[in-house]
Amino acid sequence: MSLLFIVQLLAAAAVAATSCRDSECDGHGMLQMHVDNHGSEKRPESGKAAAAADGSTRPHGRKFTPDVWAPKFEAPADKQLQLECRGESFVKCWTFFTSADPTHGYVQYISEDEATELKLFKVQQDGAVWMGSLVGQDQPVKAIRLQSKMRFSEGHIFVIDIQHMPTGNGTWPAWWSYGPDWPNNGEIDTIETVNIEDRVYQTLHTSYGCFMNIPHIFDPDCNSEDAHNGCGLHGPPNSGGPAFNKGGGGVFATQWTSAGIQMWVFPRGQVPKDLAEDKPDSSSWGSPWAFFPFGASCPSTHFNDHLLVINLDFCGDWAGAVFPGGEKACEAFVTDPSNIDKLQEAYWSINYVKVFAPEPATKSQAKSEKTATKTQTQSAKEKVVRKGEKMEEIKTEAVARKENAINHRSEQPPDDTAPDTPTESIGSGKPGHKSAKEKIVEKGQRMKDIKTKGLKPMENIINHRSPKAPDASTQSTRSERPELLQDQDQ
């Protein structure tokens, strides 16, 4: 290699070191090369640097969450409790992640064998799984990151029962899930907190096109800061840190369906009976603490094929950025042997992780749904009957009004003589009420009587004019009244 070539190479390196963008340079001004999900080298996308407590910045580029092959989870549809991880069988649900931390934490994730050897992973006498960390060793902290052996899609309830959550300055514990090709298949953070905060953060991270316009959200754009920030909100008070542990821990339930993602937090002593008995009925749990609905603003297609993750990180992009003095101060704190006692709470104690099928779940729920359907059917029938009765009443009233009008017109006598048949009072439901047929018959009879009475005078005149054989009485009358006979003859 010629001397000229070496000089040119050094000059090119110097130019690259001084001209690289912040998002592509590490803390020493050296050009970073990242490996993408398919193993090829790639320069990261330009992004905003995270501000630390001391005002310095740390470039983080694209959050690298490596894809891990895992089969899709399958279970009988009629089986409600589809996966249970607890006690000695807890470890069978997980693989130990041993790659470099994707969020730049000052941590070394270790294998199952090393974790067992260092007594950082063990099952306690009460059956709870204890997962600790090795701090104060003048080197990156040795800790554990578990990832499920199966991938999950919508249609499940994920439940974790925690006795003790890691806490302490520099800690960054999380219970979450993510899909391949981050963030294109989404990330769901049910538990995420740093240092000694007493509340967890519950957050979604997605590719562009998912917005959650819900109350108390920090940022509705789930792709904010290229998905590094996501869209999240605070969990309930005492849901993390020392306060959570002091209360005996609790249970977190995350339901993922085609309608959205819902999260409940149940303190110890307030866990629903149906959930404790492995027959969860989320409709009886009350409103979730967090509900991220799917729809036009955020299609459900943003979330697919998730691995479940439990991990304890230290410092890194979040805990290090907010640590007093910044990330370097955080790293110095967690590696200092004199701070071992100050980080003795940096461990998990987990009773179980369970995966349930979604609703309908319990027989009682099915029964309540059947009862509700029956009640609705009965109510509909009652409405039809009431409607029929009302129509009948309206029809009867209309007929009565019409009959009243007819009777009022027809019941006018032609002379001062009262009709033979008394008029009945008409009114719906009153005594003496007659049918239309009866009244028509009466009307006909009255008309006949009137006609008969009108014909009688004419009959009398005709009878007087008709020739009859004279008898003694007639002769006597005619002879007594000769002027009347003459008038009649004329």
Side-chain angles (χ1 to χ4, degrees):
M1 182 180 296
S2 66
L3 180 60
L4 178 60
F5 177 81
I6 294 175
V7 171
Q8 291 175 337
L9 182 62
L10 291 175
V15 171
T18 57
S19 62
C20 63
R21 293 175 295 174
D22 286 345
S23 62
E24 300 170 336
C25 299
D26 63 15
H28 303 286
M30 297 300 291
L31 185 66
Q32 294 182 5
M33 300 301 290
H34 293 259
V35 180
D36 68 7
N37 295 333
H38 304 285
S40 61
E41 291 187 349
K42 174 184 177 181
R43 290 172 65 175
E45 299 173 0
S46 177
K48 295 181 180 179
D54 61 356
S56 63
T57 60
R58 175 181 175 86
H60 48 65
R62 184 177 186 276
K63 181 179 178 182
F64 172 61
T65 303
D67 287 344
V68 178
W69 184 88
K72 290 188 176 182
F73 179 79
E74 295 182 359
D78 58 347
K79 186 178 180 181
Q80 190 171 7
L81 177 57
Q82 298 193 329
L83 180 66
E84 182 174 20
C85 313
R86 70 186 310 162
E88 296 295 338
S89 64
F90 183 90
V91 71
K92 295 180 180 179
C93 298
W94 313 93
T95 59
F96 283 71
F97 177 88
T98 56
S99 298
D101 177 36
T103 54
H104 311 104
Y106 199 62
V107 66
Q108 178 189 350
Y109 290 125
I110 58 178
S111 66
E112 179 182 355
D113 290 340
E114 187 173 4
T116 303
E117 181 181 351
L118 295 174
K119 297 183 180 180
L120 298 181
F121 183 91
K122 58 185 178 182
V123 179
Q124 298 173 295
Q125 291 184 350
D126 62 356
V129 174
W130 189 92
M131 294 188 294
S133 55
L134 190 60
V135 298
Q137 304 298 312
D138 291 322
Q139 62 181 4
V141 178
K142 291 189 176 183
I144 295 171
R145 170 168 165 160
L146 300 181
Q147 300 195 158
S148 61
K149 291 182 177 181
M150 300 283 183
R151 289 191 181 275
F152 298 85
S153 294
E154 67 181 36
H156 294 94
I157 303 175
F158 308 101
V159 181
I160 186 169
D161 186 322
I162 303 171
Q163 284 188 10
H164 185 279
M165 186 184 300
T167 186
N169 289 325
T171 59
W172 182 0
W175 157 244
W176 54 295
S177 66
Y178 75 97
D181 190 24
W182 189 94
N184 292 320
N185 288 286
E187 176 180 328
I188 304 170
D189 300 335
T190 302
I191 297 175
E192 195 172 18
T193 186
V194 294
N195 300 321
I196 56 173
E197 292 189 358
D198 282 340
R199 302 178 74 169
V200 300
Y201 292 80
Q202 299 182 320
T203 312
L204 304 184
H205 303 261
T206 69
S207 56
Y208 182 77
C210 178
F211 297 87
M212 291 292 169
N213 298 302
I214 59 177
H216 311 299
I217 198 81
F218 299 142
D219 188 329
D221 184 3
C222 298
N223 185 247
S224 63
E225 295 294 333
D226 294 328
H228 297 295
N229 289 350
C231 56
L233 43 76
H234 274 125
N238 304 325
S239 57
F244 176 81
N245 297 332
K246 185 178 180 180
V251 173
F252 293 78
T254 303
Q255 185 179 56
W256 173 15
T257 68
S258 59
I261 297 168
Q262 303 179 77
M263 301 177 184
W264 289 265
V265 182
F266 302 112
R268 188 67 60 200
Q270 299 181 31
V271 180
K273 182 179 179 182
D274 56 89
L275 183 56
E277 294 177 350
D278 294 338
K279 298 177 180 180
D281 176 10
S282 64
S283 65
S284 67
W285 297 349
S287 299
W289 179 262
F291 176 36
F292 301 96
F294 293 148
S297 296
C298 183
S300 62
T301 51
H302 281 281
F303 297 86
N304 297 285
D305 297 333
H306 277 211
L307 290 174
L308 306 179
V309 183
I310 306 171
N311 74 288
L312 172 55
D313 203 347
F314 286 83
C315 302
D317 292 343
W318 185 7
V322 298
F323 191 90
E327 185 171 352
K328 293 301 180 181
C330 181
E331 294 175 359
F333 179 83
V334 300
T335 59
D336 188 345
S338 65
N339 292 328
I340 293 177
D341 290 342
K342 297 177 182 178
L343 289 169
Q344 59 183 350
E345 298 293 313
Y347 69 91
W348 291 99
S349 181
I350 300 173
N351 287 327
Y352 63 76
V353 170
K354 296 179 180 180
V355 178
F356 294 95
E359 270 65 297
T362 63
K363 291 182 179 179
S364 60
Q365 180 184 350
K367 183 177 179 180
S368 64
E369 290 176 351
K370 184 177 180 180
T371 302
T373 302
K374 184 177 179 181
T375 302
Q376 292 173 356
T377 303
Q378 291 176 344
S379 178
K381 289 181 178 178
E382 290 173 357
K383 288 180 179 179
V384 172
V385 171
R386 287 196 297 269
K387 183 177 181 181
E389 292 175 348
K390 185 67 176 177
M391 293 298 293
E392 187 65 27
E393 290 176 2
I394 294 172
K395 184 177 180 181
T396 301
E397 291 175 359
V399 170
R401 286 194 298 269
K402 186 174 182 180
E403 290 175 351
N404 271 331
I406 294 173
N407 293 333
H408 182 71
R409 289 194 300 269
S410 64
E411 292 178 356
Q412 301 296 330
D415 54 22
D416 294 337
T417 305
D420 296 335
T421 306
T423 305
E424 299 286 350
S425 62
I426 298 176
S428 178
K430 294 181 180 181
H433 177 69
K434 296 183 179 181
S435 67
K437 183 177 180 181
E438 291 174 336
K439 291 181 178 181
I440 291 172
V441 171
E442 288 182 358
K443 180 180 178 182
Q445 184 62 44
R446 287 195 296 271
M447 294 298 292
K448 182 178 179 180
D449 292 343
I450 293 170
K451 182 177 181 181
T452 301
K453 290 179 180 179
L455 290 174
K456 284 183 179 180
M458 295 182 65
E459 289 177 354
N460 289 334
I461 295 172
I462 294 172
N463 290 334
H464 280 291
R465 286 184 174 182
S466 299
K468 293 183 180 179
D471 53 21
S473 60
T474 305
Q475 286 290 350
S476 173
T477 304
R478 290 174 66 91
S479 63
E480 292 175 355
R481 302 181 63 186
E483 68 277 10
L484 179 60
L485 293 174
Q486 292 174 0
D487 293 338
Q488 290 176 350
D489 291 339
Q490 292 175 357

